[in-house]
């Protein structure tokens, strides 16, 4: 899909600046979870599982609404040098917290909680291998896992046949400015060199759910921000197609 | 400063949509810290202290560069109903982690670490009273505290007389869309009603350090994003003037 | 009030041995809490808030009695050099625990729990700046905050109009022996030099709630103990007047 | 390999009592780790990575010996119903500790620490999907990952060309008594029904490294113990062949 | 009892290879617990208390069954050099977890949970002095404490007069191979030299509850395993007699 | 010793108001520690061990001074109903912290740190059985253990033959007012009824190290305070004799 874009500049891995890395989505990877997907953005590989349970946390009971939440984590040797386990350290780091919250918010943005009813979906995104863009791959794969968990629940009649909790689809992609050039879907070696780094979460209809841009080096101006947003919307459009392709399998 | 803006709509507290709340900065509030400021954005009050110490964390030693980091916290009764202390719970929540990291990144964006030398500045931002915008008030006040800590270090000759670690100033402001209308500097009751909520960190020269926009309700489109960014740049400009005013006191 | 005492010896800050430092009580500092006071004993500044809630902890339910408890903490840069946050360390230190328990016991000593009914008051004492005597300032300020929280509850009819939960007032002061001389209300530099250090909690009627004396250097004899108690009762008497003065404001 | 055994009884999944489940070993699954293997025993899937680093923990320095250690963990949705993350709970459970220690001991039993030199190998065994026998699959896969990490270190000259840290190979298998019948390699549904459950760690030469037998129901006698050991030695022999097969790939 | 065995080899402490150390059981040591025993295996001394309470944990309610669990711990100076307290470190080590779980399983193996009814017995085994074999002494003493707690409950009519929750007795002993010779009940200095170390839990009727053998040095073969099991069954038989002797006291 | 006092009132256990409970001190109870004592105050039994190590914590190095510290803990079933282990809860309670600090301060008050040299003594006080007065028994027994650890160090030549780190002896006792009558050494059932509760730490020469009085019910006046101090000094005098008696054993 992405290969039809023409891109003037070529990157280390041969991509043009507007190209995504190879995207693969192995839907239903887990035989245990209600929904699951093993997603790859190049060498970044994230296992996303969706666990559907009846009932909601105590503080939400009796409102006729459901709940969607997410937890993100990285295996200790997902990265180039081993990092200590958060379970061994006894506490969760700020980065882990931040990404878990981002994934949860992104998914909730496309779910109608009334239609979900008093049910809970917990999405686990475990990074098996990390090469940049783990949070964006996680969101993109989590959506696929969630769709299957909702279908499972509909078959089990935990959700009414006519209820449609899904309002839209959602995916995410990173963009950044390297040596002054805006680029799509940064690999790890690109990410560490980026002056500005932005993660953008976009719905299937092309609306923004989250825009998180950070100047790692020099601050950025309005024109740069606009260029990055343009790139992100293009990438998100491609990702939405990959999601649809994966979800149409087996139908 | 802000009162010269004409704003068509009037908010609950009498402000127009492009108005900041009353901003006060009590510079040097603490007699213990190298730099400090008690900042108010309306009823939001944050005590910011800057602690300057010689040396850097072990992993940074020998590179001739300094380090700036920040910790954010809220007193248990800063909010309308009491929240449990994180020290009592034995762990720091995701929100606290996220904001601490944001403040640290925002300040580092305007510091030349080479010019700072192998010294560390720790900024503590403790919210004494919360009424929306605590992170943006914290960043805005932290900058003032940091300036004074750097001045203190220069007088103590921990930083060379000709070194200028400060590249630019930095402040932050929240913007949001309420009932379809973009507004500046949301108070708590406005924040909970906002469909989209955005925190923008801007330098004195008007460049972006961070843009964090989140759809709390419906996703937002490109036009809405642009309207929010316009508002934020205006507010940040006003805040930079308040900072300058506070810093010119006593000179 | 204290300035009518004649004191033979003069201390570093100009006080005589029987003098308190300057005491100020800003009642109602917080717009969020049911009761609050920002108290200063010289450079020691403690923000005390009282949170009133209906109901009591599970283990106390059904006895028709209320509960009063307290938490004490220090901002990281309240002290001359920064100390790590207990929330970051993930555990509360022994000193913090000890002082929190002391404040709670001191306040409960002057409250009739039957008259309070099944309601809970949580007192938070956060040291914004520390210069010795933080626990005694905390107790003295906490009483003022608690009085206002009880008044608030009476107006809200959470406490009967004829109920009087307050049996007496309570304040606290430190005393110590420095170079053989007993002195009242030690500042930090005095405290570290004291051979014996004592914190005394006294009711408005002059009765003891707590007496905690510790030999930091040489053990002390009965005569020294008596001299310290005399000083403490005098200081507590002055503090009770400051409390009354603060509480009569706005009537 | 296992299919030449004749087994009188047939199990739910069609196996005879002396049959292993399908065993697959994807050697080199990870592009990041020095050695890795994704191993499956039926539906149980464990990702094993081996991280090689120069140096040993402080307490072992200067003895000219290496160190091998292991950490085991399970993804939250590896199991049929989701379990909370140990990182979120802030502590590691007894079962996790126990298995991590077992894996470490099992691997150390076949490593000559002098020949390894002052280097450390950390093995991470993360269960991606659990269907019984996760610890035995982990040990069996960890051996393969460790072999590759040692080869990597030899190529990098961190280990001498003539040094051979590997004394023997090692694998593990579970056995149990169900309805009075001893069986090999229990799947989860078998495991929960087993009266006696035993995990046996065996070297390639057929010697025992660990024997851990537990009566879950009625205690077991000497004859039953012997029958289980016979079964385990047969299964371990098959697993050693699978390991050799995987390791001979790509040579 | 043990002195009738003839043993060819003499150990450092004068024992033959099939001899237990001196065993003493002070039943009813605690005046607070429902059952208790201070047990010694030579210099190893463990205080075992059994706490009986009505009711079971929430996840077991309504099944008409009881629950038995155990916690093992070591005083910091039970060992030759002081070890840090796990309460101070804030987490329980793997070894502690492992032994607590072993004790619990061992005791549950001889209890009929239906006959116990919905009651809970918590066994605490605190090692006051450690010289090898602490877990085996703990299991052996815990059985005695548990018997008394069950008798106490019968007298209080928390267990029916005709119910007999005890199916069998249980004890445990360590065995190991030192310099090629299998030996019974290892003292600490023997334990650290053992090539193979095995803990065996045996019922009064001579059946196995747990067999945990570990090669600390070279792996062991089938003949060695058999020799160790023979020794363990002999030792367990002696321990069962010591238990009976202690329990017949005061009848 | 105490039986020569004439006491008008008789308590539940037959004692007069100025009587201690039976005091026993088993010196050298532990074969592992450098010094130890199992002390009983009636049914309260505390095992005190003193661990002597060369060197001091990093923050004290190079000053030619030693360090003495203490840790207090209670076995879960020391009390009438079982309390959860602090190691399992993962944090130390306020009461435990408070008592550990009190014991440490009390012992340091009678040690000349210069004479101790750069050595550390850690005192562990583990309550095996609790019936009131555990902290006072702990201090009294800890002194005996510490004396033996110092003697051990002198024999090992870790302390000079002429150095005398011990300045004085130290013991502690509780006193309280029950139904208006001051009483010595409260048992648990007395303690819970006391209106005022005081722990007093006294040196062998009769000087105060700590005075900690708390009004549990009504506040107390100066006369009551004096009566309690009189009682405490008498009791401490008796305890000093018990300590001497224990320490003269075996000479």
């Amino acid at each position: 899909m992405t290969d039809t874009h023409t891109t003037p500049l070529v990157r280390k891995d041969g991509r043009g600046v507007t190209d995504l890395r190879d995207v693969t989505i192995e839907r239903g990877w887990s035989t245990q979870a209600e929904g699951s997907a093993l997603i790859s953005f190049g060498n970044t590989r994230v296992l996303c599982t969706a666990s559907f349970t009846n009932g909601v946390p105590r503080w939400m009971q009796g409102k006729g609404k459901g709940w969607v939440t997410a937890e993100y984590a990285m295996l200790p040797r997902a990265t180039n040098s081993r990092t200590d386990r958060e379970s061994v350290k006894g506490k969760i780091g700020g980065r882990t917290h931040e990404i878990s919250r981002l994934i949860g918010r992104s998914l909730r943005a496309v779910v109608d909680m009334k239609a979900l009813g008093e049910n809970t979906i917990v999405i686990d995104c475990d990074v098996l291998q990390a090469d940049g863009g783990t949070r964006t791959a996680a969101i993109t794969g989590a959506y696929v896992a969630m769709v299957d968990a909702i279908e499972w629940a509909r078959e089990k009649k935990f959700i009414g046949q006519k209820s449609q909790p899904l309002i839209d689809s959602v995916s995410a992609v990173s963009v950044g400015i390297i040596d002054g050039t805006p680029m799509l879907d940064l690999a790890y070696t690109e990410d560490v060199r980026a002056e500005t780094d932005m993660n953008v979460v976009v719905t299937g209809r092309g609306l923004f759910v989250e825009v998180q841009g950070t100047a790692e080096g020099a601050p950025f101006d309005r024109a740069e921000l606009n260029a990055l947003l343009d790139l992100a919307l293009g990438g998100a459009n491609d990702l939405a197609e990959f999601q649809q392709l994966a979800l149409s399998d087996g139908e």
Side-chain angles (χ1 to χ4, degrees), chain A:
Chain A
M1 240 166 282
T2 63
D3 49 5
T4 60
H5 292 284
T6 58
T7 56
L9 264 149
V10 172
R11 301 199 242 173
K12 210 177 176 182
D13 56 8
R15 284 189 288 156
V17 294
T18 64
D19 291 344
L20 292 173
R21 288 174 287 176
D22 285 342
V23 174
T24 66
I25 302 178
E26 289 182 57
R27 184 179 159 210
W29 192 90
S30 160
T31 61
Q32 304 274 30
E34 282 75 58
S36 68
L38 177 61
I39 191 166
S40 304
F41 278 20
N43 281 325
T44 289
R45 303 178 81 171
V46 184
L47 178 55
C48 307
T49 59
S51 300
F52 186 100
T53 47
N54 297 121
V56 286
R58 181 173 300 220
W59 55 275
M60 286 196 64
Q61 285 168 8
K63 300 182 184 163
K65 287 175 163 185
W67 185 237
V68 174
T69 186
E71 289 185 8
Y72 165 98
M74 219 184 248
L75 293 199
R77 194 55 201 277
T79 42
N80 190 252
S81 62
R82 190 179 183 273
T83 47
D84 289 338
R85 284 175 194 271
E86 295 185 325
S87 59
V88 170
K89 288 190 285 186
K91 51 183 167 185
I92 290 180
R95 181 183 173 279
T96 299
H97 257 141
E98 208 169 301
I99 299 177
S100 294
R101 286 155 56 92
L102 170 65
I103 300 171
R105 282 198 309 271
S106 299
L107 296 172
R108 284 192 294 273
V110 296
V111 175
D112 173 348
M113 293 301 170
K114 282 275 181 197
L116 181 55
E118 293 211 358
N119 296 299
T120 298
I121 298 174
V122 180
I123 308 285
D124 286 287
C125 298
D126 286 88
V127 179
L128 305 188
Q129 199 162 273
D131 185 28
T134 61
R135 80 189 70 187
T136 54
I139 290 167
T140 307
Y143 171 73
V144 173
M146 185 172 71
V147 170
D148 275 350
I150 287 171
E151 271 322 297
W152 176 93
R154 195 190 307 282
E155 277 165 36
K156 295 280 180 188
K157 310 217 195 268
F158 294 139
I159 295 179
Q161 292 312 302
K162 295 186 182 161
S163 291
Q164 183 39 282
L166 290 167
I167 301 166
D168 201 340
S169 72
V170 67
S171 70
V173 72
S174 72
V175 284
I177 301 174
I178 300 171
D179 299 335
T181 307
M183 295 188 186
L184 182 68
D185 187 21
L186 309 188
Y188 180 71
T189 51
E190 294 174 331
D191 190 60
V192 294
R193 287 180 53 220
E195 294 104 51
T196 290
D197 185 17
M198 185 174 293
N199 290 294
V200 185
V201 183
V202 183
T203 70
R205 295 194 184 111
L207 297 170
F208 297 108
V209 171
E210 288 266 344
V211 173
Q212 295 196 340
T214 299
E216 302 287 348
F220 50 100
D221 63 21
R222 192 76 177 259
E224 289 171 314
L225 176 54
N226 282 329
L228 290 171
L229 291 169
D230 289 341
L231 266 183
L233 287 170
N237 194 49
D238 290 348
L239 289 170
E241 288 184 43
F242 281 112
Q243 289 174 324
Q244 280 316 106
L245 212 60
L247 286 164
S248 60
D249 258 22
E251 282 185 6

